[in-house]
Amino acid sequence: MALLTKPGVSRTVHLFAAPFLWTTIGMLLMVRGWGWCDPGRGRLLFLVAGLLGTLKSLFILDKIARRSLDRIIHFQDRTCLGAVYSWKTWLLVLLMMVTGIGLRNLTQPGPLIGILYGAVGWSLCLSSRLGWREWYHRIHRHGIA
C-alpha cells in the first residue's frame, strides 16, 4: 500500500515549487510568443507585452502569489506536493491551458497571440519573484543552504 501514499514534502519544497512553476511556464510562454511575432517591428511590439505583463503582475498576480505563499507557510510538513496550489488555482490553470489551445486552433498564431503569450509569460515570471524571495529567506534563515 505504500505506492498509494501521497507525495508529501516540506514547506521549503512547496516554496521552491510554486515560483519554479510560474517561472518555467512564464519563460515557455514568452519563448512561444516571441516566435510568433514578426521579425523587426513585430518583435518591437513585444515591449508592449512587457508593459502589459508588468501591469498584470503588479495589480493581479502579486496578490495571488502572496495568498498562495501565505497558504504554503501555514502548511504542515509532509503536505502533498499537489497542494502547492489550491484546487481553484489548478482549475484556473486548466482553463488557461484550454483557452491557449483553443486560440492556437481557431486561428493561425501570429503577433497578436504572440504579444498575449508574452504578456502572460512575463507577468508570471515577474510575480514569481515573491516566491523566490520567500524561498530564499526560508532556506537562509533555517540554514538549509
Side-chain angles (χ1 to χ4, degrees):
M1 282 312 226
L3 294 175
L4 298 177
T5 60
K6 62 184 180 181
V9 296
S10 70
R11 279 182 297 244
T12 305
V13 171
H14 281 102
L15 288 171
F16 175 83
F20 177 78
L21 288 169
W22 278 30
T23 302
T24 302
I25 293 166
M27 289 172 52
L28 289 171
L29 288 171
M30 287 191 299
V31 167
R32 275 195 131 169
W34 178 261
W36 289 328
C37 288
D38 297 326
R41 191 174 292 164
R43 298 239 169 106
L44 189 58
L45 285 174
F46 214 69
L47 292 174
V48 173
L51 175 63
L52 294 173
T54 298
L55 293 173
K56 179 181 179 178
S57 171
L58 297 176
F59 293 108
I60 298 170
L61 289 184
D62 279 4
K63 293 174 191 173
I64 295 169
R66 284 186 187 98
R67 267 197 320 259
S68 178
L69 292 169
D70 190 50
R71 246 179 97 254
I72 291 170
I73 289 167
H74 289 94
F75 281 172
Q76 298 290 323
D77 276 340
R78 308 301 304 155
T79 299
C80 179
L81 183 57
V84 68
Y85 299 121
S86 69
W87 66 270
K88 290 179 186 178
T89 302
W90 284 116
L91 284 176
L92 181 61
V93 168
L94 181 63
L95 177 66
M96 290 175 66
M97 287 173 58
V98 169
T99 302
I101 291 167
L103 279 173
R104 290 191 315 270
N105 287 326
L106 289 174
T107 183
Q108 182 67 31
L112 184 60
I113 293 178
I115 290 170
L116 178 66
Y117 269 56
V120 172
W122 173 242
S123 67
L124 287 168
C125 286
L126 185 57
S127 287
S128 72
R129 78 192 185 287
L130 301 172
W132 289 121
R133 185 181 311 140
E134 184 63 37
W135 173 76
Y136 177 82
H137 289 305
R138 173 138 328 228
I139 64 170
H140 286 285
R141 266 190 305 232
H142 297 288
I144 296 170

